[in-house]
Amino acid sequence: MTGIILFAIALVCLFLGYSVAFTFAGVSLIVGTLVLGADLFAFMPYRIMSIMENTILMAVPMFIFMGIVLQKTGLAERLLESSAKLFGGISGGVAVSTIIVGALLAASTGVVGASVVAMGVISLPVMLKNNYHQPTAAGVICASGTLGQIIPPSIILIILGDVMGVPVGDLFRAAVIPGMLLVIFYTAYILILGKFKPELMPPLVVTESKRELLVQALKDIVPPLVLILAVLGSIFAGIATPTESASIGAVGAVILSIFYGSFSFSKMHEVSKETVKVTSMVFAVLIGATAFSMVFSYSGSEYLIEDFFMELPGGKWTFIILAMLAILILGFFIDFIEIAFLVVPILLPVAIALDVNLVWFAILISMNLQTSFLTPPFGFSLFYLKGVAPKWMKTTTIYKGVIPFILMQIMVLLLVILFPEYLIIS
């Protein structure tokens, strides 16, 4: 009963708009003290210290820094402009280039907000100027930006690896095919739509020769690809840990900014401040969620949840279906970080008891949380795009545009559930 009260009060506070980190910490402190006594929190300093000493979580600020460097120094802008011209001659070409650049940014940064904002600032005006169907243009940008949730190096995969006790390198390997499958689905959808309804996505008028466009595209795409190979290749080859590869990515992003002539100390100062803000938010939520999970666990609620799922017919598959539905529904209202720190620790003991493959389960959760970025009313990608879209573009236009991409994400999620042996690299 204590766990239900704790969870219900926390959700109500979140819906009322209170800060996530302080909601978790405050609710846990009040309920925990009243029910279990203040002595329970004598363990909190040790838990906080273990978070601060966690080498896996050290990768989070470095990947965030890497993503913000690429956004602030204009690399994302160069990628989008050159690829838009390269593919612009076909119906839906700008949308296809947005998807490809979204995948490249995802593999370079893992930061969804940076990707959506960059593409919203650069790609959206080009598509609107070229009379693209507004909902489709908005949907492509939002969906492409969320690829950073599943394509490694994904911040959520690092967090899930720590929460679930799974090697992050294993999660990165397992996420490659599902991520690429989403890119293929998105691209196929745009090409088919452009084939049968070209008036929705007219081709661009390109004046440069193919050779000029190809040379420029190579100049803008090859260096980020080298960075991606350096970061992910070092992990997959066993040369570096995810934390070590994150430092490679951070330094590599700075080197790229120098290579393109966009480096400046003032920009690095701005990038550093932004990195501190985002990282502080993540770790504040983590500390609050740690207090929450401690009260939840010591109240015995963890065993009640486990007993409930263990007694249901269908065993593992019933658990997977209910867990995915719960995360999908919660994703309509609360952020992926809260779900990762709040819900996953509750589901984890049940998954272990039912002998669920934790790498597979983590990928399913990550893909589900990716969908939460697109689902109204509180999908963060929708807000990111609305913030940089023209004032006259309605929120309902963005909502309509993401519906096909939400359906495609659910389809790929179902494929990964049904055929893990083919779609998960172990």
Side-chain angles (χ1 to χ4, degrees):
M1 181 60 72
T2 302
I4 295 173
I5 294 171
L6 188 71
F7 201 81
I9 294 174
L11 284 180
V12 169
C13 291
L14 289 174
F15 292 154
L16 291 174
Y18 289 100
S19 167
V20 174
F22 296 119
T23 292
F24 285 165
V27 171
S28 303
L29 183 63
I30 294 168
V31 175
T33 301
L34 291 175
V35 177
L36 302 172
D39 291 344
L40 170 69
F41 294 98
F43 296 102
M44 270 306 293
Y46 300 101
R47 292 203 171 206
I48 294 172
M49 184 59 69
S50 70
I51 293 170
M52 296 298 104
E53 293 177 345
N54 192 318
T55 55
I56 295 173
L57 292 176
M58 284 172 60
V60 173
M62 285 187 281
F63 278 129
I64 291 171
F65 175 85
M66 176 180 165
I68 296 173
V69 167
L70 296 179
Q71 180 197 2
K72 297 289 186 183
T73 56
L75 178 61
E77 184 176 347
R78 293 178 67 99
L79 275 172
L80 281 164
E81 287 177 350
S82 60
S83 59
K85 290 179 180 178
L86 188 62
F87 294 99
I90 61 173
S91 294
V94 181
V96 170
S97 72
T98 300
I99 294 168
I100 293 171
V101 172
L104 287 172
L105 291 177
S108 303
T109 70
V111 181
V112 170
S115 299
V116 175
V117 168
M119 292 187 291
V121 169
I122 302 155
S123 281
L124 186 59
V126 175
M127 287 193 269
L128 295 178
K129 184 180 178 181
N130 208 50
N131 297 319
Y132 264 57
H133 183 234
Q134 290 181 24
T136 302
V140 166
I141 291 172
C142 289
S144 301
T146 62
L147 289 170
Q149 280 290 94
I150 187 65
I151 294 178
S154 163
I155 301 298
I156 188 61
L157 290 177
I158 297 171
I159 293 172
L160 287 175
D162 178 67
V163 171
M164 301 177 72
V166 178
V168 175
D170 291 352
L171 295 183
F172 281 3
R173 273 189 292 273
V176 170
I177 294 179
M180 291 301 101
L181 203 57
L182 278 172
V183 174
I184 292 169
F185 268 61
Y186 293 170
T187 306
Y189 168 72
I190 292 299
L191 290 176
I192 292 169
L193 191 64
K195 176 72 174 175
F196 292 100
K197 291 189 175 181
E199 69 279 3
L200 296 182
M201 296 177 289
L204 285 179
V205 178
V206 181
T207 56
E208 294 93 332
S209 68
K210 280 288 183 184
R211 176 182 168 78
E212 289 175 332
L213 291 175
L214 187 59
V215 169
Q216 186 60 44
L218 288 174
K219 284 181 181 178
D220 293 334
I221 292 172
V222 170
L225 279 177
V226 172
L227 180 62
I228 293 165
L229 291 174
V231 172
L232 298 182
S234 61
I235 298 173
F236 296 162
I239 299 170
T241 65
T243 304
E244 291 165 344
S245 70
S247 64
I248 294 171
V251 173
V254 174
I255 292 172
L256 279 183
S257 70
I258 296 171
F259 175 78
Y260 286 114
S262 54
F263 175 88
S264 71
F265 286 104
S266 61
K267 284 182 180 177
M268 288 302 108
H269 179 66
E270 189 179 346
V271 166
S272 299
K273 286 200 300 183
E274 198 68 28
T275 302
V276 169
K277 287 179 185 177
V278 178
T279 304
S280 300
M281 181 270 292
V282 171
F283 278 84
V285 172
L286 176 52
I287 291 170
T290 299
F292 186 95
S293 63
M294 187 171 70
V295 174
F296 190 89
S297 179
Y298 281 104
S299 69
S301 302
E302 182 179 297
Y303 300 106
L304 292 175
I305 296 291
E306 185 174 334
D307 291 342
F308 170 76
F309 278 106
M310 295 296 286
E311 291 173 4
L312 289 174
K316 178 178 80 172
W317 291 107
T318 302
F319 166 68
I320 292 293
I321 292 168
L322 290 178
M324 291 300 106
L325 281 174
I327 291 171
L328 182 65
I329 292 168
L330 285 172
F332 278 72
F333 306 103
I334 59 178
D335 189 20
F336 74 99
I337 295 176
E338 294 99 273
I339 293 174
F341 289 139
L342 179 65
V343 179
V344 174
I346 296 172
L347 298 175
L348 183 60
V350 185
I352 293 171
L354 292 172
D355 197 28
V356 174
N357 184 306
L358 293 185
V359 172
W360 174 58
F361 190 46
I363 297 301
L364 296 183
I365 292 171
S366 181
M367 296 189 70
N368 207 330
L369 292 178
Q370 179 186 4
T371 305
S372 74
F373 268 85
L374 296 180
T375 47
F378 300 120
F380 275 72
S381 284
L382 312 178
F383 294 147
Y384 292 142
L385 182 60
K386 180 60 180 172
V388 296
K391 299 289 185 185
W392 47 262
M393 179 173 275
K394 297 180 181 177
T395 304
T396 52
T397 300
I398 301 174
Y399 286 178
K400 289 176 186 176
V402 298
I403 291 173
F405 296 94
I406 292 172
L407 295 176
M408 282 185 275
Q409 288 185 354
I410 293 172
M411 285 170 60
V412 174
L413 176 63
L414 289 173
L415 288 174
V416 176
I417 290 174
L418 296 172
F419 307 105
E421 64 274 20
Y422 301 110
L423 300 177
I424 298 291
I425 301 174
S426 59

